Amino acid sequence: MKKVVKFGGSSLASAEQFKKVGDIIRADESRVYVVPSAPGKRFSDDTKVTDLLYKCYGSVADEVKFEKYLETIKERYNEIIEGLGLDLSLDKEFEVIRKDFLAKAGREYAASRGEFLNGIIMANYLGYEFIDAAEVVLFDSTGKFDAEKTNAVLSKRLANVPKAVIPGFYGAMEDGTIKTFSRGGSDLTGSIVAKAARVDMYENWTDVSGFMVADPRIVNSPKVIEAITYKELRELSYMGATVLHEDAIFPISKEGIAINIRNTNAPEDKGTLIVEATCRQPKYVITGIAGKQGFASITIEKAMMNSEIGFCRKVLQVFEDNHISIEHMPSGIDTMSVFVHQSEFEEKEQRVIAGIHQAVNPDSVDLESDLALIAVVGRGMKAKRGTSGKIFDALAQAHVNVRMIDQGSSELNIVIGVRNHDFDNAIKAIYNTFVK
Ligand code: ASP
């Protein structure tokens, strides 16, 4: 059994947190590849090292500010090194970093140093080999992540290294230019390493005991999801549930490697298991609820719309021509609605309306703004009669007016459109109906 373990920024924010991580790794021989983030926040209004690095790089022109930021970053690492009692100095690395910053090595290079330095400390602390991600996580000449090449190079490298630390978040192009993934991208590095090393499990250690059924900022102490499939997770992440980077499941979803979300501060909790498929019945009919606010709908009405071949295509062409992506598209006999992101649509709305008139000559075009979409997701819904009935009953009882309903053909999710101001109440009502 081999595992990749990835630790998020809050798990590595201080020497105290590093010690918890050390205990976790040493408690299980199979935790052989470690992917660290940069030190995160130690307390709620602390600043993540990644953000300090961006600021430091942004202030290169102002010597006083630049030196101050660099000193603050150095102190963060020295505090960890001293707290762990390590015989290690990062002075040389910081000299290189200072020179590279002054030579304008790039914002991505700057940000990547957070993981790079933390990786060196982690490797020293554990006695594992340090592998610089720049050598094994590869981007092509256009700056796009090269999955195939990375997998070939990384698996070859890991074949001879039984235990290693590979910093998260970055890699490099062939000419050595450092590239980073989007924020939170160390999750992706974890998946990439898990695939290349063909491990049995990818443990992703963070500061919560797993994926919750609903957003804890809306529902008080929501239950933790014990097991969730990649597909369910994709639906929930897309609709705004965070914890794991949205793209982290792609590298391993075809490999059958499970991801286990765990809590560094409560290692005895089992967390959430993310799998390709499972016989485990979900505890509740629904697996999770997530949602996003800030949508607008455009409803187009025309008598006999149904018999007009190409009607939908012509309408959609107008959105495409205006570079607006479409979120949902419920339709009736003589109406079709298109849901879009309000912020993307607002400045183009008059152009879109005019375009629709020209394209299909409708009887009317109506706009509605400040809408929210809520996805109720669950592999268990397919087999259970009355799920949608229960959802709408709960919403009616909570006095929430439903503006749109869309059930995915996989029967894995039901998407409901409500007004922004009903968003929290709707989620609470659905949660309370299914989770007890
Ligand atoms: N340190 C990076 C960030 O703050 C990447 C990561 O933690 O995954 O986004």
Side-chain angles (χ1 to χ4, degrees):
M1 177 100 161
K2 270 193 303 186
K3 288 179 184 169
V4 165
V5 283
K6 180 258 167 180
F7 292 89
S10 59
S11 301
L12 300 169
S14 62
E16 200 191 338
Q17 290 298 87
F18 255 80
K19 285 181 188 161
K20 291 185 195 168
V21 167
D23 290 344
I24 290 167
I25 294 172
R26 284 187 281 262
D28 181 348
E29 269 291 304
S30 63
R31 293 176 175 140
V32 290
Y33 297 123
V34 182
V35 175
S37 282
K41 294 184 178 192
R42 294 160 295 183
F43 37 87
S44 64
D45 52 3
D46 196 13
T47 310
K48 294 179 178 184
V49 165
T50 308
D51 292 312
L52 289 172
L53 285 161
Y54 281 127
K55 284 191 181 140
C56 183
Y57 188 68
S59 64
V60 167
D62 181 336
E63 201 188 323
V64 177
K65 248 186 171 177
F66 173 69
E67 293 298 338
K68 209 180 106 213
Y69 277 128
L70 203 59
E71 200 45 46
T72 310
I73 295 164
K74 239 189 210 170
E75 271 168 23
R76 290 285 311 259
Y77 287 104
N78 282 340
E79 228 176 79
I80 295 172
I81 292 172
E82 276 162 32
L84 295 176
L86 299 179
D87 182 17
L88 174 72
S89 160
L90 294 176
D91 288 350
K92 262 204 237 137
E93 282 77 7
F94 270 104
E95 259 331 291
V96 175
I97 290 172
R98 168 198 306 258
K99 271 202 208 117
D100 288 341
F101 274 34
L102 292 172
K104 299 268 168 63
R107 260 188 113 238
E108 298 187 42
Y109 166 81
S112 76
R113 298 304 87 185
E115 273 67 12
F116 173 75
L117 296 169
N118 232 16
I120 294 176
I121 298 179
M122 178 66 90
N124 187 288
Y125 178 51
L126 296 173
Y128 281 22
E129 183 168 332
F130 173 75
I131 298 179
D132 187 351
E135 294 166 21
V136 288
V137 176
L138 308 171
F139 289 73
D140 69 17
S141 55
T142 65
K144 212 174 127 234
F145 171 59
D146 190 336
E148 232 166 86
K149 203 163 155 199
T150 298
N151 198 52
V153 170
L154 185 55
S155 51
K156 200 163 155 213
R157 178 74 180 265
L158 293 178
N160 305 313
V161 187
K163 292 181 166 186
V165 174
I166 307 111
F169 191 37
Y170 73 94
M173 295 182 0
E174 214 165 324
D175 67 358
T177 309
I178 297 287
K179 296 291 299 172
T180 55
F181 296 116
S182 56
R183 295 299 303 264
S186 299
D187 285 342
L188 250 130
T189 309
S191 295
I192 291 163
V193 176
K195 177 177 171 166
R198 296 181 173 275
V199 298
D200 306 278
M201 170 83 80
Y202 167 18
E203 287 179 350
N204 187 297
W205 291 80
T206 176
D207 53 5
V208 286
S209 290
F211 232 98
M212 293 177 197
V213 174
D215 187 337
R217 287 166 301 187
I218 299 173
V219 172
N220 201 4
S221 311
K223 296 264 200 264
V224 169
I225 301 170
E226 285 176 9
I228 182 170
T229 64
Y230 296 139
K231 281 190 188 146
E232 289 174 309
L233 182 74
R234 168 94 185 108
E235 303 271 357
L236 289 172
S237 307
Y238 183 73
M239 285 304 269
T242 52
V243 171
L244 196 65
H245 191 289
E246 213 189 321
D247 297 335
I249 46 175
F250 291 119
I252 55 171
S253 61
K254 289 200 192 90
E255 309 294 316
I257 300 170
I259 307 175
N260 190 189
I261 307 280
R262 300 285 293 266
N263 189 348
T264 301
N265 304 319
E268 60 292 346
D269 290 353
K270 285 198 185 126
T272 300
L273 205 56
I274 306 166
V275 292
E276 183 179 356
T278 175
C279 289
R280 287 193 215 193
Q281 287 302 327
K283 213 163 170 183
Y284 315 103
V285 177
I286 61 164
T287 303
I289 314 163
K292 279 188 195 166
Q293 302 188 57
F295 292 94
S297 73
I298 301 96
T299 300
I300 302 134
E301 191 165 354
K302 185 175 184 185
M304 309 294 283
M305 169 192 292
N306 264 5
S307 55
E308 203 173 316
I309 292 173
F311 188 93
C312 287
R313 184 186 52 74
K314 289 178 201 158
V315 170
L316 296 183
Q317 189 69 47
V318 177
F319 287 89
E320 188 177 335
D321 292 346
N322 283 286
H323 300 284
I324 298 170
S325 69
I326 287 166
E327 208 63 28
H328 279 280
M329 224 181 57
S331 65
I333 301 172
D334 288 331
T335 61
M336 73 179 275
S337 299
V338 178
F339 275 68
V340 295
H341 287 274
Q342 195 163 325
S343 56
E344 233 178 75
F345 176 69
E346 253 164 12
E347 58 186 80
K348 299 173 180 165
E349 65 173 24
Q350 296 310 318
R351 251 185 289 155
V352 172
I353 294 175
I356 293 173
H357 276 283
Q358 277 166 24
V360 294
N361 192 23
D363 296 336
S364 66
V365 178
D366 269 329
L367 300 187
E368 190 170 352
S369 55
D370 301 321
L371 295 171
L373 293 174
I374 297 169
V376 184
V377 176
R379 60 188 184 279
M381 297 197 312
K382 209 169 176 170
K384 264 271 183 321
R385 259 180 294 135
T387 309
S388 48
K390 264 181 154 176
I391 294 174
F392 297 117
D393 196 34
L395 293 175
Q397 303 246 10
H399 305 286
V400 172
N401 189 5
V402 176
R403 313 290 307 150
M404 191 274 292
I405 306 161
D406 199 354
Q407 181 173 25
S409 43
S410 58
E411 287 189 54
L412 198 63
N413 71 353
I414 296 175
V415 177
I416 301 147
V418 301
R419 305 300 309 262
N420 275 348
H421 67 248
D422 284 329
F423 183 69
D424 286 14
N425 269 344
I427 290 180
K428 278 185 201 146
I430 298 169
Y431 181 89
N432 290 332
T433 299
F434 288 97
V435 183
K436 271 168 204 136

